[in-house]
Amino acid sequence: MMNFRTRARLWLVNVCRFLLSGVLLVSGFVKLADPMGMVYKLQAYATHWALDVDDLWLKMVAVIIGIIELQIGVYLLLGIRRRTSAWVTLLLMLSFLLLSIYLYIEGSIADCGCFGAALDLSPGATLVKNVALTLISLYVVMYPQRMRRLVTERNQGIATLYVFAYGCVLSLYSLHYLPFVTFTDYRVGENWKEQYHTGEPPAREGILNLAMFNADGDDVASDVLSDSSSVFLLTLPRVKNIDDSSADRINDLYDYAHDNEFRFVALVGDLSDYKDWQDRTGASYEVLSVEEDVLKAMVRSAPGLLMLNNGVLIEKWGTNNLPTIMEVEALLAKRVKGETVDSSESFVWLRLMLLLVVPLLLLISLDGVWVGQKFRLHRKRMRRLLLKDSEENNDKSIV
C-alpha cells in the first residue's frame, strides 16, 4: 500500500503532465494549422535582430517547432518516452522563459508568438505563464517514471509516426493553400459591413479599425465595404517579393469583374511599389494602401484574394487555389438564391483536433485489448503449469 505522500506525488506528477500536454498540444496545433502566422512572428524577430533570413527557412523552423511541440504533447498525454518527453519539455520551457524575460525587459516586440496568431499575450502575461510552466516541467523531470502509461512501449512507435504524419500533412497543406482555420479577425462567412458600421455582431477589432487609403490619402474603407454588389480584394503585402505566376488567372478574374461591374481592388502595403506589379503583370485595376500586417492577416498568401458580397466575406483564396470564373459564378448563384454558402469555418478546428485525438484513443483502446489478451494468455499458461505441477506431485505421492 502506498502512503499518502506517495499517492499525492503520483497524482501531482500526472496532473502536471496533463497540463503541460494540453499547452503543448494547443501550441503545436496552432503553429501547424496556421504556419504563416508563426512565420510572421519569426520575421518580426529577424527584423528586430537585423537578420536576413529567407522565408523558406522561417517556414521550416515554424513547422519543426510545431511538430516538436505536438509530438511531445502527445508523448506526455500517453505517458510514453517519459524521460525524453520530460527533459525536452523542460528545455522548451526554459527557452521560452529566457525569450519572455528578454521581451519583457526589451519591450519592442509585443507578442512572443507562443501560440502563433491564435492568442496574443502581453510580455508580462507571457513571463508569468512561462515561469509557471517551467516550474511544472521541473517537477515532472524529477519523477518521470511516475507518469502513468496509456500505451505500452511495444505500440508507442505507432503514435509517433501518426503524429509526425499528421503534423506534416496539416502544415504543408496550410502552406500550399490556406489554413483550415482562421485565427485572425478576417473570417469567411462574417458580415464586414455590419461590423464596420454598427459594431455588431460583436465586431472584431481588425474590421472596426480597417483602413484603406487612396492616392490622395483618404480612407475609403467605408465606401468599399458599403458596396451592395460584389467586391474582389487582391492582397499584395510586399509587392517586390511576390511571385507573379498567378497573374494571368488574376487578370481573368479582373476582366470578369469589370464585365459584370463588380469592384476589383488591389490592396498593397506601399502604393509606391505598385508600379512594379503593373510592369510585371499588366494590371490595370484600382489600388489602395493598407497596412502590411493587416494584409498578411487577411489572407495567408501573397497574392491572396477575398470576395465580398453585400459586405459579407463569402470566400477567400491563396495563390495556389485561385478560383475559376465558373466557381465564382456558382458562389454568386447561391447567394442570389438565398442559399447559405458552405464556406464558414465553424468547428473546423474541432474536427481537426478530433482527427488527431480519435486515432490516438483508438490506439489506446486496441493497446488495452492487446494487453488484456496477453494477460489472459499468461494466466492460462500459469494455470496449466500449476495444474501440471499438481498432477506430478500427486503421481509422486502415489508412488
Side-chain angles (χ1 to χ4, degrees):
M1 289 290 292
M2 292 186 293
N3 58 36
F4 175 77
R5 178 177 296 182
T6 302
R7 288 199 302 271
R9 188 176 295 163
L10 180 65
W11 275 98
L12 184 57
V13 167
N14 282 282
V15 168
C16 291
R17 150 240 189 146
F18 286 127
L19 177 61
L20 291 170
S21 174
V23 171
L24 288 172
L25 286 175
V26 172
S27 179
F29 171 78
V30 168
K31 291 180 177 67
L32 296 173
D34 181 18
M36 286 307 298
M38 186 60 189
V39 169
Y40 295 144
K41 300 288 185 181
L42 294 174
Q43 285 178 347
Y45 285 116
T47 301
H48 174 70
W49 288 316
L51 301 175
D52 184 15
V53 185
D54 188 85
D55 282 356
L56 177 60
W57 290 105
L58 295 180
K59 291 176 183 177
M60 291 177 61
V61 171
V63 172
I64 289 171
I65 293 175
I67 288 178
I68 290 175
E69 290 183 339
L70 195 71
Q71 198 77 262
I72 298 302
V74 169
Y75 285 174
L76 291 171
L77 178 67
L78 300 182
I80 59 179
R81 305 188 190 279
R82 291 173 287 188
R83 290 188 183 277
T84 299
S85 59
W87 276 104
V88 172
T89 301
L90 179 60
L91 291 175
L92 284 173
M93 296 307 167
L94 282 173
S95 301
F96 296 153
L97 176 59
L98 293 175
L99 180 60
S100 61
I101 292 173
Y102 172 80
L103 294 179
Y104 183 76
I105 295 174
E106 210 280 334
S108 61
I109 299 178
D111 176 54
C112 69
C114 302
F115 295 99
L119 180 63
D120 289 335
L121 294 176
S122 66
T126 300
L127 180 58
V128 172
K129 170 184 71 72
N130 287 335
V131 168
L133 292 177
T134 301
L135 293 175
I136 293 172
S137 303
L138 185 61
Y139 186 76
V140 172
V141 163
M142 294 170 61
Y143 308 103
Q145 297 305 319
R146 294 179 184 271
M147 288 191 284
R148 182 183 177 186
R149 273 183 171 274
L150 300 182
V151 173
T152 59
E153 187 174 355
R154 171 191 171 112
N155 295 319
Q156 66 185 16
I158 298 175
T160 299
L161 291 175
Y162 178 75
V163 173
F164 179 77
Y166 175 90
C168 288
V169 172
L170 179 59
S171 59
L172 292 177
Y173 180 94
S174 299
L175 285 170
H176 187 71
Y177 296 108
L178 287 180
F180 288 101
V181 185
T182 301
F183 295 112
T184 63
D185 290 337
Y186 309 96
R187 304 181 184 185
V188 173
E190 296 192 352
N191 193 318
W192 288 19
K193 181 166 66 175
E194 285 188 8
Q195 292 189 43
Y196 183 85
H197 290 290
T198 68
E200 298 178 356
R204 303 190 185 277
E205 184 178 352
I207 305 297
L208 280 174
N209 299 326
L210 186 60
M212 303 177 183
F213 298 99
N214 59 22
D216 296 326
D218 299 323
D219 184 359
V220 296
S222 177
D223 180 51
V224 173
L225 297 181
S226 297
D227 196 313
S228 59
S229 183
S230 295
V231 178
F232 292 87
L233 301 177
L234 179 69
T235 59
L236 304 169
R238 292 184 180 180
V239 174
K240 293 182 178 179
N241 297 334
I242 292 178
D243 182 11
D244 58 10
S245 60
S246 58
D248 290 340
R249 177 68 65 84
I250 293 171
N251 288 337
D252 290 341
L253 290 168
Y254 167 71
D255 292 337
Y256 168 78
H258 184 267
D259 292 342
N260 288 273
E261 299 183 348
F262 298 150
R263 194 166 185 174
F264 194 104
V265 185
L267 305 179
V268 300
D270 189 343
L271 288 174
S272 62
D273 293 336
Y274 183 63
K275 184 65 166 60
D276 176 72
W277 180 258
Q278 283 184 308
D279 293 340
R280 285 190 285 149
T281 66
S284 58
Y285 25 82
E286 179 185 0
V287 58
L288 299 173
S289 174
V290 176
E291 188 178 345
E292 184 179 313
D293 289 342
V294 174
L295 297 179
K296 291 177 178 178
M298 281 184 175
V299 188
R300 297 302 200 198
S301 177
L305 185 68
L306 304 94
M307 183 178 178
L308 300 172
N309 182 263
N310 194 25
V312 177
L313 179 60
I314 61 173
E315 191 55 277
K316 58 182 176 180
W317 303 271
T319 186
N320 292 315
N321 67 334
L322 289 170
T324 63
I325 292 175
M326 291 182 62
E327 289 172 337
V328 172
E329 289 178 335
L331 283 173
L332 291 176
K334 286 186 176 182
R335 293 285 295 178
V336 170
K337 294 178 181 178
E339 297 179 15
T340 302
V341 179
D342 186 18
S343 55
S344 70
E345 299 173 359
S346 302
F347 303 110
V348 171
W349 64 271
L350 180 59
R351 292 196 288 270
L352 289 174
M353 287 299 290
L354 288 176
L355 186 61
L356 171 66
V357 173
V358 170
L360 295 178
L361 292 176
L362 180 61
L363 175 63
I364 293 172
S365 300
L366 293 177
D367 185 77
V369 171
W370 176 77
V371 170
Q373 181 66 19
K374 185 178 179 181
F375 178 72
R376 284 192 292 272
L377 290 175
H378 176 72
R379 283 206 308 176
K380 288 181 179 179
R381 189 161 53 249
M382 291 301 297
R383 285 175 180 174
R384 285 198 298 268
L385 289 174
L386 290 173
L387 181 61
K388 183 178 180 181
D389 288 344
S390 176
E391 289 176 349
E392 288 177 354
N393 290 332
N394 289 335
D395 291 340
K396 288 180 181 180
S397 62
I398 293 174
V399 173

